[in-house]
Amino acid sequence: LPAVTHGSGFRITNQSLGAVGMSGAHVAYTPGPDASYYNPANMSFLSDHWQLETSLTVLHLPEIEYSDDRGSLFSGHSEEEFFYLPLIHLATEQYGKVRYGFSLIYPYGLSKQWQQVYPKSLAEEFSLLTVEANPSIAFSVTDWLSIGGGLRIVHGKGEVKNELGGFLSPLLTWRSSLEGTDTSLGYNLALSVRPTNKWAVAATYRSEVHLDLEGDAEFAVDGGFIPPYSGRGEVSINLPAVFSLATAYSWDKLTVEIGWDRTFWSSFENLDFLYSPGLSGTPYALFDVVLQKNWSDSDAYRLGLTYAWSEQ
């Protein structure tokens, strides 16, 4: 195994039944309405009628055990969590050389919660939920070439909670709570080429989306005489761009797709929480620290097999 691995961060790759079945190898060969999200250009090659797919994704994050060599006081385990994500994909019939699509998906996010003394001093709760409405369009340039694109309308909600007790003072407990929302725009582009009726080559690009999550910020100290803080908080987060390149070939009932995508995580440099009024000069200034991330871009290589068992 390689000594260095690249994780998928907080990106949720699989947003349809087909994508789940193929582990994301679902860009060049998209025979259903989820083409509206994974490759809008492929809508030109769908059967000429309206298509709709709905599904419910249930994501389970199991408990994570953390053991620290410094002692049991630093160890802990995260909470077990479930997330329920209803998905919608729609593709219209052909209008001249144009087809329209729409997808409702959840491209980034999830959450982690810790309740033990040391872990919750860093992340009692750290949550990000994003919901994306993605209207799209496909234009059939020729019988073998189609281009497509769409608008990314992304709504984000974030929540951060920390509780510091014992590490700063055995008599005081410091609590922080921030939550914020924002809606921002991006775009996606797609190209699909069919050199033959059995061979497909495709490329897609989903733009970066910048969210400025702004909302309420509250700080308090239990067991002391420090007045609480209540104000506005803001943090910026970049949802990274994704570039995908894939090819698929069909032999009778079997279709094989090979794909590569790059997630541009290098845009995720830090988390800088801003407060109004500012925390400088207050007892809560220790919370006003820039969290350095400096993530690197990651590559994923995907292989998907589809076998058309029968008409049903």
Side-chain angles (χ1 to χ4, degrees), residues 194-211:
R194 301 285 176 96
T196 71
N197 60 358
K198 294 184 177 181
W199 181 26
V201 180
T204 66
Y205 177 78
R206 305 190 68 80
S207 75
E208 175 184 304
V209 175
H210 182 81
L211 293 176

Side-chain angles (χ1 to χ4, degrees), residues 8 11-13 27 37-38 107-108 152 187-189 203-209 239-245 260-265 267 298-300 302:
S8 60
R11 177 185 169 200
I12 307 174
T13 304
V27 175
Y37 174 72
Y38 283 96
Y108 295 96
R152 306 188 65 189
Y187 63 90
N188 62 294
L189 303 173
T204 66
Y205 177 78
R206 305 190 68 80
S207 75
E208 175 184 304
V209 175
L239 306 180
V242 180
F243 175 75
S244 300
L245 188 64
W260 161 72
D261 66 50
R262 165 161 282 209
T263 306
F264 294 93
W265 286 112
S267 64
S298 64
D299 299 296
R302 308 181 188 278

Side-chain angles (χ1 to χ4, degrees), residues 80-127:
E80 181 183 38
E81 299 184 78
F82 286 88
F83 302 89
Y84 303 91
L85 311 177
L87 305 168
I88 299 175
H89 298 286
L90 170 71
T92 70
E93 62 186 3
Q94 191 95 4
Y95 297 98
K97 292 190 174 184
V98 175
R99 293 187 78 157
Y100 301 96
F102 176 82
S103 293
L104 181 71
I105 45 88
Y106 305 81
Y108 295 96
L110 299 189
S111 171
K112 255 323 175 215
Q113 299 184 61
W114 303 78
Q115 296 300 323
Q116 295 73 42
V117 175
Y118 177 65
K120 73 178 179 180
S121 68
L122 302 173
E124 182 181 1
E125 179 176 355
F126 212 103
S127 301

Side-chain angles (χ1 to χ4, degrees), residues 139-218:
F139 179 75
S140 180
V141 181
T142 67
D143 292 340
W144 53 270
L145 172 63
S146 176
I147 58 176
L151 185 65
R152 306 188 65 189
I153 307 170
V154 181
H155 177 75
K157 178 181 180 181
E159 187 169 359
V160 178
K161 292 181 180 179
N162 302 83
E163 181 181 305
L164 285 72
F167 291 94
L168 296 178
S169 169
L171 302 177
L172 302 178
T173 299
W174 303 66
R175 303 179 189 275
S176 70
S177 175
L178 301 91
E179 60 180 41
T181 60
D182 187 30
T183 301
S184 190
L185 299 178
Y187 63 90
N188 62 294
L189 303 173
L191 172 70
S192 188
V193 181
R194 301 285 176 96
T196 71
N197 60 358
K198 294 184 177 181
W199 181 26
V201 180
T204 66
Y205 177 78
R206 305 190 68 80
S207 75
E208 175 184 304
V209 175
H210 182 81
L211 293 176
D212 290 317
L213 302 175
E214 183 176 355
D216 297 324
E218 296 184 359

Side-chain angles (χ1 to χ4, degrees), residues 1 95 124 161-162 176 190 238 248 251 257 268 275:
L1 295 176
Y95 297 98
E124 182 181 1
K161 292 181 180 179
N162 302 83
S176 70
N238 289 323
W251 293 269
E257 175 164 337
F268 189 43
Y275 304 96

Side-chain angles (χ1 to χ4, degrees), residues 20-96:
V20 169
M22 253 77 70
S23 297
H26 199 58
V27 175
Y29 181 69
T30 54
D34 56 349
S36 63
Y37 174 72
Y38 283 96
N39 185 349
N42 271 355
M43 291 192 295
S44 296
F45 302 109
L46 296 179
S47 301
D48 190 13
H49 55 80
W50 286 70
Q51 298 187 31
L52 173 68
E53 174 188 314
T54 62
S55 60
L56 175 68
T57 292
V58 180
L59 296 180
H60 172 223
L61 295 187
E63 178 183 293
I64 294 176
E65 291 285 345
Y66 170 69
S67 298
D68 197 299
D69 291 339
R70 293 171 292 179
S72 60
L73 182 65
F74 295 90
S75 301
H77 59 85
S78 68
E79 298 295 302
E80 181 183 38
E81 299 184 78
F82 286 88
F83 302 89
Y84 303 91
L85 311 177
L87 305 168
I88 299 175
H89 298 286
L90 170 71
T92 70
E93 62 186 3
Q94 191 95 4
Y95 297 98

